[in-house]
Amino acid sequence: MFFQIDFADGLAIYDQLVRQVKFAVAGGLLRAGELVPSVRELARELTVNPNTVARAYRQLQAEDVLQTVRGMGMAVAEHAPRRCRTERVTLIRTRVRQVLAEARRSRLDAGELRALVEAELAAVEQEEA
Amino acid sequence: MFFQIDFADGLAIYDQLVRQVKFAVAGGLLRAGELVPSVRELARELTVNPNTVARAYRQLQAEDVLQTVRGMGMAVAEHAPRRCRTERVTLIRTRVRQVLAEARRSRLDAGELRALVEAELAAVEQEEA
Amino acid sequence: MFFQIDFADGLAIYDQLVRQVKFAVAGGLLRAGELVPSVRELARELTVNPNTVARAYRQLQAEDVLQTVRGMGMAVAEHAPRRCRTERVTLIRTRVRQVLAEARRSRLDAGELRALVEAELAAVEQEEA
Amino acid sequence: MFFQIDFADGLAIYDQLVRQVKFAVAGGLLRAGELVPSVRELARELTVNPNTVARAYRQLQAEDVLQTVRGMGMAVAEHAPRRCRTERVTLIRTRVRQVLAEARRSRLDAGELRALVEAELAAVEQEEA
DNA sequence: GTGGTCTAGACCACC
DNA sequence: GTGGTCTAGACCACG
């Protein structure tokens, strides 16, 4: 599976899952109507408690990203891909903004910050290629 | 004061404080030997519980960033500025790496990601000017 | 068919079915001795799992509303109509009582509640006509 | 306390709680800014698991009825009373509609239904006086 | 097999 | 003391 949890992230596990499901939907890894891994299966894979996965799925359901299919599991909602693609940019931008804001408050030299960010950005693009 | 807490950040408050103190030291806002605000004073300013500030100070003391001055409070340690300047880059780079990694896993288009980051970077530099 | 399931009702599906069969018998839509739809047929019609229909029929059999007819399926029991007519009022009154009790606990103004109920009652009578 | 759970209601406990908190806010039993009973206290009173209460509170927080006050508990949100008063009518009307719809499908005589409802309504008004 | 609910009890951050 | 998160394990309804 394409989900991975960082147990030392500080961010709650269910929250990491919520984000990653949205990203998977946004990125086309999960298509509209497609069943997501079952609560139990995903919990086993991530070595996480089923309740934790269930909580993430419940929130995704409340946000109309997932919907339950009786007796079958949970599926990506009809219009979720479009909305997730939109939200993806927002979620990432917020994070980027937080990091840069903190960096700026740390009085790191503007040039040094830019160099650092450019380097990491280049590294990411490298990996992608 | 130059500290500011984001209560909705997900990151623990004392952890935000630890980082910001280190950054203040790295950035020269707090110099070696200088007294940091008292637990009570800072707690009042940030509308945070004194225990939370105390916990942050305790951790900073354990990391030799702060040291107690008998009868006076806590002061920035002798060699803290140099070490904090070094650590600052590491702390920020880690964060940058995290957010870019997440963005990449979200399959956000490389160009779109770069554009987004450049825009935010420019915005930060603008504010700084 | 005269049954309809509300999948978002909160009430268990088999329970809705049990009630509706009783009501159909009470209302004369199903007469004593008449065969009810087969489990499979009804399950298909309601897009419900056969097990669910079977469970409802089992309970109705236990309550002597339905009885098995060897080789034919299940039929409305001899004295079911009379008993269902009696029970119908009880079942409905219980529900009415529940909703009014909740409304009262909510401190909704008595006049407002009456107006609301009268309006809905009129609407129902309208539909019926 | 003014909450009471019906363990045989069919409706989930946390859902009953969500409704009742909204009703209490709508009815003025809980005012804006006022702290609701703590999770642990309410759980004890209702002989329900704290997680169940927490789940209800979490949903109420998501709907902006409650908000957490760090270290203090949860309080009724600023504009919750107005919104709850509005929602109260909707919630009750939905229930009334469900009951009457079922009654109508049961082919209960229109006059008989009206008589039944009027009787119960009168009973409720009597209690209130 | 699936999700939904509930219980029980742990640890953490915060007041 | 407070809420927030997580674990573990139970039962139910549904397919």
Side-chain angles (χ1 to χ4, degrees), chain D residues 9-114:
Chain D
D9 176 307
L11 195 61
I13 294 175
Y14 79 86
D15 220 335
Q16 295 183 48
L17 250 179
V18 167
R19 291 176 71 93
Q20 293 195 21
V21 170
K22 286 178 180 172
F23 288 156
V25 173
L29 290 170
L30 290 172
R31 294 160 187 277
E34 189 176 346
L35 286 175
V36 294
S38 81
V39 168
R40 290 164 173 88
E41 183 192 343
L42 189 52
R44 198 163 10 84
E45 263 182 34
L46 302 176
T47 62
V48 149
N49 190 282
N51 283 328
T52 304
V53 177
R55 177 166 179 186
Y57 279 8
R58 201 185 309 137
Q59 181 169 332
L60 287 163
Q61 187 180 26
E63 296 187 43
D64 290 319
V65 174
L66 298 184
Q67 57 191 16
T68 67
V69 183
R70 290 196 330 278
M72 296 292 295
M74 306 197 73
V76 176
E78 191 58 34
H79 299 306
R82 188 168 39 76
R83 280 187 287 103
C84 283
R85 274 194 298 275
T86 305
E87 194 181 0
R88 173 174 55 179
V89 176
T90 311
L91 290 173
I92 292 173
R93 178 182 290 123
T94 300
R95 280 282 168 92
V96 169
R97 214 167 260 177
Q98 280 179 346
V99 167
L100 294 185
E102 194 197 45
R104 181 174 163 274
R105 280 203 308 274
S106 83
R107 294 206 156 184
L108 184 65
D109 176 76
E112 207 168 344
L113 175 58
R114 176 168 280 276

Side-chain angles (χ1 to χ4, degrees), chain B residues 41-84:
Chain B
E41 183 191 342
L42 187 52
R44 190 163 27 76
E45 264 182 36
L46 302 176
T47 63
V48 149
N49 190 282
N51 290 330
T52 305
V53 178
R55 173 164 184 182
Y57 278 9
R58 209 180 314 132
Q59 181 170 333
L60 287 162
Q61 189 177 17
E63 295 189 45
D64 291 320
V65 174
L66 298 184
Q67 57 191 16
T68 63
V69 181
R70 290 196 321 272
M72 296 290 294
M74 304 197 75
V76 177
E78 190 59 33
H79 300 303
R82 186 168 40 77
R83 280 186 287 106
C84 283

Side-chain angles (χ1 to χ4, degrees), chain A:
Chain A
M1 248 306 147
F2 24 77
F3 302 128
Q4 55 186 66
I5 299 301
D6 176 0
F7 292 96
D9 176 307
L11 195 63
I13 294 174
Y14 79 85
D15 220 335
Q16 295 183 47
L17 250 178
V18 166
R19 292 177 70 92
Q20 293 195 21
V21 170
K22 286 177 182 173
F23 288 156
V25 173
L29 290 170
L30 289 172
R31 294 160 187 277
E34 190 176 345
L35 286 175
V36 294
S38 80
V39 168
R40 291 165 172 88
E41 182 192 343
L42 188 52
R44 198 167 5 88
E45 264 182 33
L46 302 175
T47 62
V48 150
N49 190 282
N51 283 328
T52 304
V53 177
R55 176 167 179 186
Y57 279 8
R58 203 184 310 138
Q59 181 170 333
L60 287 163
Q61 187 180 26
E63 296 188 43
D64 290 319
V65 174
L66 298 184
Q67 58 192 15
T68 66
V69 183
R70 290 197 328 277
M72 294 291 296
M74 306 197 73
V76 176
E78 191 58 34
H79 299 306
R82 187 167 39 76
R83 280 187 286 105
C84 283
R85 275 194 297 277
T86 305
E87 193 181 0
R88 171 173 58 177
V89 177
T90 310
L91 290 173
I92 292 173
R93 178 182 289 124
T94 300
R95 281 282 168 94
V96 170
R97 214 166 262 177
Q98 280 179 345
V99 168
L100 294 184
E102 194 197 46
R104 180 174 164 275
R105 279 202 308 272
S106 83
R107 295 203 156 187
L108 184 65
D109 176 76
E112 206 168 345
L113 175 59
R114 174 169 282 275
L116 186 160
V117 171
E118 296 286 0
E120 294 301 328
L121 201 49
V124 165
E125 289 168 357
Q126 193 69 11
E127 284 180 62
E128 203 159 355

Side-chain angles (χ1 to χ4, degrees), chain C residues 32-108:
Chain C
E34 191 176 344
L35 286 174
V36 294
S38 77
V39 167
R40 289 181 184 179
E41 183 191 342
L42 187 52
R44 188 164 28 76
E45 263 183 35
L46 301 176
T47 63
V48 149
N49 190 284
N51 289 330
T52 305
V53 177
R55 175 166 182 180
Y57 279 9
R58 209 179 315 130
Q59 181 170 331
L60 287 162
Q61 190 177 17
E63 295 190 45
D64 291 320
V65 173
L66 298 184
Q67 56 190 18
T68 62
V69 181
R70 291 195 321 272
M72 296 291 292
M74 304 196 76
V76 177
E78 189 60 32
H79 300 304
R82 187 167 40 77
R83 280 187 287 105
C84 284
R85 274 195 297 276
T86 305
E87 194 182 0
R88 171 172 58 176
V89 177
T90 311
L91 289 173
I92 292 173
R93 177 181 291 123
T94 300
R95 282 268 172 112
V96 170
R97 221 167 252 178
Q98 277 181 346
V99 64
L100 293 185
E102 193 194 36
R104 181 173 162 275
R105 278 204 310 270
S106 84
R107 292 199 159 190
L108 184 64

